[in-house]
Amino acid sequence: MRTPLYLGAALDGLGAHPAAWRLTGTPPETLFDPERVVSLTRLAEQGGLDLVTLDDQVPATPEPGHAHGSLDAWLALTLAACRTSRIALFPTGVARGEPAVTAARAVTLDRIAGGRGGWRPRVALSDDERRRATADPERYAAFTEERFAHAEEFVASVAAFWDSRREESVLSSHAVDLSGDRLTVSGHARVPTASSGPPMTAVLAHFSTPFRLAARHADLVFVTPFSRTDVDAVREELDGLRAALGSTRAPLAVLADLDVVVAATESEATARRNRLDRWIPFTSDCATFTGTPEQLADLMEEWHRDGGVDGFRIRPSVLSDDLTAVVEAVVPCLRKRGLLGENPGIPLRSRLFGASV
């Protein structure tokens, strides 16, 4: 019997495509309505999705034609936590500053959410650094390695604060005292970790360097294959890294990112994708899908079977349209095929660790 898929959605911006607001005529100021984040999170929960992510990192300089800006991801998802009951919540947290502060923010979200909180650490890069590293990855390989090495020490320090003070012994807290090549951290945790366990950690990984970060520290990893062949190669590399590290963590859940445009017919979906690209030409960093709910279910089934990915994080090209299509049309297709669990009420933490929340 196949393990049911994990299914998540990225709630970034007004959609994964930068022209999303133009297609729907959505006013750009909608970006700053916290109720929009709440309603999208509730829609995902009603559809049986396991998790949502929210990234508040935007270019420092607005790009022409793009809706620019974002609410604070931690605060927006904390509000969503108060209005939902099951779905897991993963804001982005840049790996810089004080690890103790990030550790406290994550535990606070997790406590408010009743064990449903997590975070997605992100390497700290300026707009210019990201452009240069993306344009010439070989030349900037050493720079990229250094930034990820810093991020790894930061993530390890956050986890150390979580481990240093537990709810079961709230009055006893041992000091964190870590000295690495890039970070020196000392102090006490501000908020004790809940008895259900520390916040969940997810990592977005495109290549080997962040794969190592995920293999050491993550509970979930979002990967970006473009084919089933890529899926198998990613899976093999991640499994090899975990084995080489002697990881004792629970199995790492591997979710493939998919940038989707979904419509009732393939021609309608293609027309929508073309309209978006005419406004703003866009190339995604993950696989793109344009088609019907049944065709998307076909792709997901192919990538999941026989030891493929454990699930998917959907990036709706237009949040208001494509997340609704996933919930109302794709999820029922997956359920009919036996790709989703019979009980959609099981929280992500329980699915990952077999623990009650």
Side-chain angles (χ1 to χ4, degrees):
M1 181 178 178
R2 289 176 297 191
T3 302
L5 284 171
Y6 294 98
L7 197 56
L11 305 185
D12 308 337
L14 296 174
H17 199 290
W21 68 278
R22 292 178 177 269
L23 186 65
T24 59
T26 304
E29 56 266 25
T30 306
L31 267 175
F32 311 109
D33 180 4
E35 289 299 325
R36 182 187 67 91
V37 177
V38 172
S39 64
L40 290 168
T41 305
R42 293 181 69 179
L43 173 63
E45 181 172 77
Q46 291 160 11
L49 274 65
D50 294 292
L51 66 109
V52 295
T53 64
L54 184 61
D55 190 348
D56 58 10
Q57 304 306 302
V58 297
T61 304
E63 298 181 53
H66 294 224
H68 180 75
S70 174
L71 293 171
D72 182 281
W74 292 90
L75 295 178
L77 288 183
T78 298
L79 176 61
C82 298
R83 307 269 284 279
T84 53
S85 61
R86 182 195 55 81
I87 197 164
L89 310 159
F90 288 82
T92 294
V94 179
R96 66 182 174 206
E98 293 292 332
V101 174
T102 298
R105 294 182 84 183
V107 172
T108 299
L109 170 61
D110 188 51
R111 283 179 165 276
I112 291 170
R116 297 180 289 127
W119 76 309
R120 181 174 78 80
R122 178 170 176 167
V123 173
L125 293 173
S126 69
D127 294 350
D128 185 56
E129 289 169 340
R130 183 172 289 104
R131 278 193 294 269
R132 284 184 290 162
T134 302
D136 193 350
E138 291 188 8
R139 180 180 177 186
Y140 288 94
F143 169 81
T144 301
E145 288 282 346
E146 172 61 27
R147 285 303 174 93
F148 271 98
H150 177 275
E152 185 163 333
E153 289 191 13
F154 187 95
V155 174
S157 299
V158 169
F161 279 106
W162 291 341
D163 290 339
S164 71
R165 190 179 184 195
R166 297 283 183 150
E167 188 173 74
E168 302 91 308
S169 52
V170 68
L171 295 180
S172 63
S173 169
H174 67 262
V176 173
D177 189 5
L178 298 174
S179 182
D181 294 333
R182 297 156 188 86
L183 281 178
T184 298
V185 177
S186 62
H188 290 263
R190 303 180 183 189
V191 186
T193 298
S195 58
S196 57
M200 296 169 282
T201 299
V203 168
L204 172 62
H206 300 291
F207 55 97
S208 296
T209 303
F211 285 170
R212 289 197 295 273
L213 176 64
R216 284 192 176 98
H217 299 289
D219 305 304
L220 306 96
V221 58
F222 306 126
V223 296
T224 55
F226 288 88
S227 67
R228 174 62 205 235
T229 301
D230 290 345
V231 167
D232 294 337
V234 166
R235 185 99 223 189
E236 182 179 0
E237 183 168 1
L238 283 167
D239 290 346
L241 284 168
R242 282 174 57 84
L245 292 168
S247 177
T248 58
R249 299 176 65 89
L252 177 65
V254 180
L255 280 66
D257 275 9
L258 288 176
D259 182 325
V260 306
V261 170
V262 183
T265 67
E266 188 173 357
S267 59
E268 181 185 348
T270 300
R272 288 183 61 229
R273 174 76 73 181
N274 290 340
R275 287 180 65 195
L276 289 165
D277 288 340
R278 278 197 298 271
W279 274 309
I280 302 177
F282 174 66
T283 301
S284 178
D285 62 350
C286 70
T288 58
F289 168 84
T290 305
T292 67
E294 292 80 8
Q295 290 169 331
L296 180 53
D298 288 341
L299 174 64
M300 296 168 82
E301 184 171 17
E302 178 190 353
W303 284 19
H304 175 56
R305 69 182 178 219
D306 301 327
V309 294
D310 300 306
F312 297 87
R313 181 176 67 150
I314 301 297
R315 302 186 195 175
S317 288
V318 180
L319 265 171
S320 56
D321 296 340
D322 295 306
L323 181 58
T324 300
V326 167
V327 166
E328 295 182 353
V330 178
V331 167
C333 285
L334 296 171
R335 207 169 294 286
K336 284 181 183 176
R337 300 175 187 215
L339 293 170
L340 298 179
E342 294 181 2
N343 181 3
I346 301 175
L348 179 63
R349 182 181 293 277
S350 296
R351 292 196 62 191
L352 290 171
F353 311 119
S356 60
V357 179

